[in-house]
Amino acid sequence: MDLSLAKLTLFSPAKVNLFLSVLRKRKDGYHELASLFQTISLGDILTLSLSFKDHLTCSDSFLPANSSNLVWRAAERFRCKTRLDFSFEIHLQKNIPIQAGLGGGSSNAAATLLGLNHLLGGPASFQDLISWAAELGSDVPFFLTPGTAYVTGRGEVVKPLPVLPFSKENMWIVKPQQGLSTPEVYNALDLKTLSSHNPIEVLQKFLKGQPEFYNDLEDAAFSLYPELSFVKDTLLQAGYHPVLLSGSGSAFFCIGSQNPALILPTCFVYPIQFIRRV
Ligand code: C5P
């Protein structure tokens, strides 16, 4: 097959954090985390081919389709690290809301690395891809795993896990209109009010089918965007359990039989399932 003619279509999933502990602030300014990450069926579609000139298009006109986009940066990093001479043509069909804590940009960057490695005949090892991914963003390495992982460090240390053994029906993402900036949420974090959960114990419980959901970034996100407390309380009062901010927000992950759009008509609502790369 002439690789220069091949076109790849890749699904680039969002993620949720089923628990998220912030352990401490590090000397490099990042925060040490311990979190359970899971990919979900809400995702973007990336179409990728080799070309004569770098070209990126995006269905969402609010996102820059230039060298500041994580997709472009991932492709450039791949070219620089492999020293291969190629150009790319990429189209990004955006479905994952931005500024939501769902890892959309990181997932797109990981899909770009995986896709280029495939199109170019596999010049990079999995370990190469993990280390280049970590340079692009804290969450990017997770999206190279099959889809369930215990994540530590600043987010770049990933331990892949098997399918989680608890019932996963009637799951939803509820995204209020306003988004949140990840650095702003970390800046607003009061390190004195972090939870006292032991993440290793919580992980063991999840693996035994006894999930315990929490997110240490919730209070910081709620202080920046007080309407998030209203959204969470409304869902809890309507019987949803858990109702949990994903990452730094502003999207919530919740479980309940009724469509949340019926009680929160101004939010974007997505029915979801947990998915894994095959
Ligand atoms: O690594 P990434 O570029 O995704 O991180 C964005 C910002 O989020 C960082 O600049 C930092 O302010 C914050 N962050 C953090 N601790 C982490 C991950 C991200 O403080 N573990």
Side-chain angles (χ1 to χ4, degrees):
M1 178 173 64
D2 181 356
L3 283 175
S4 63
L5 297 177
K7 189 177 253 194
L8 263 190
T9 300
L10 295 166
F11 184 68
S12 173
K15 58 85 177 162
V16 289
N17 300 84
L18 299 176
F19 70 81
L20 192 158
S21 281
V22 180
L23 303 175
R24 61 184 172 85
K25 188 162 184 184
R26 304 172 4 157
K27 290 204 177 93
D28 61 7
Y30 283 89
H31 293 78
E32 192 74 14
L33 306 179
S35 180
L36 178 57
F37 278 52
Q38 172 64 55
T39 45
I40 60 173
S41 50
L42 171 64
D44 300 333
I45 309 279
L46 207 94
T47 316
L48 191 87
S49 55
L50 301 178
S51 180
F52 301 103
K53 186 172 178 285
D54 293 342
H55 191 217
L56 172 65
T57 52
C58 181
S59 63
D60 183 342
S61 55
F62 285 104
L63 279 181
N66 56 32
S67 57
S68 69
N69 192 301
L70 257 183
V71 166
W72 192 299
R73 286 171 44 209
E76 257 183 353
R77 180 135 322 214
F78 188 90
R79 183 162 48 206
C80 164
K81 295 284 186 181
T82 57
R83 300 204 176 113
L84 291 170
D85 183 19
F86 67 89
S87 299
F88 57 83
E89 169 96 33
I90 301 177
H91 179 68
L92 178 58
Q93 167 67 46
K94 204 73 200 155
N95 305 316
I96 306 172
I98 56 171
Q99 293 206 309
L102 298 171
S106 301
S107 173
N108 299 161
T112 305
L113 294 176
L114 286 171
L116 286 174
N117 202 37
H118 185 79
L119 281 178
L120 290 155
S125 68
F126 185 69
Q127 266 321 310
D128 288 335
L129 294 180
I130 289 273
S131 101
W132 305 344
E135 293 168 17
L136 289 161
S138 306
D139 286 353
V140 184
F142 162 70
F143 288 100
L144 299 171
T145 73
T148 313
Y150 182 56
V151 170
T152 53
R154 66 179 167 88
E156 86 289 16
V157 182
V158 289
K159 180 181 174 355
L161 295 171
V163 175
L164 296 169
F166 61 89
S167 169
K168 303 170 202 87
E169 295 190 354
N170 302 314
M171 300 193 296
W172 309 90
I173 294 295
V174 177
K175 164 70 177 58
Q177 305 238 342
Q178 191 180 318
L180 278 171
S181 134
T182 302
E184 280 178 28
V185 173
Y186 277 101
N187 266 335
L189 190 63
D190 180 354
L191 294 168
K192 292 189 289 299
T193 62
L194 299 177
S195 69
S196 53
H197 292 97
N198 177 335
I200 298 285
E201 281 174 17
V202 179
L203 177 64
Q204 294 309 327
K205 285 191 188 164
F206 264 94
L207 295 175
K208 282 192 269 177
Q210 300 155 7
E212 194 180 321
F213 303 90
Y214 64 90
N215 181 347
D216 280 355
L217 292 174
E218 275 191 347
D219 286 349
F222 292 6
S223 72
L224 291 174
Y225 182 12
E227 205 187 314
L228 289 180
S229 304
F230 168 79
V231 172
K232 176 157 179 158
D233 289 346
T234 305
L235 289 166
L236 286 173
Q237 276 161 26
Y240 292 83
H241 179 80
V243 180
L244 184 74
L245 195 75
S246 184
S248 55
S250 62
F252 287 95
F253 163 71
C254 67
I255 301 182
S257 53
Q258 192 186 27
N259 186 329
L262 297 171
I263 52 170
L264 288 165
T266 60
C267 290
F268 301 101
V269 171
Y270 309 88
I272 58 150
Q273 294 178 333
F274 290 172
I275 58 153
R276 290 167 62 91
R277 198 189 301 283
V278 280

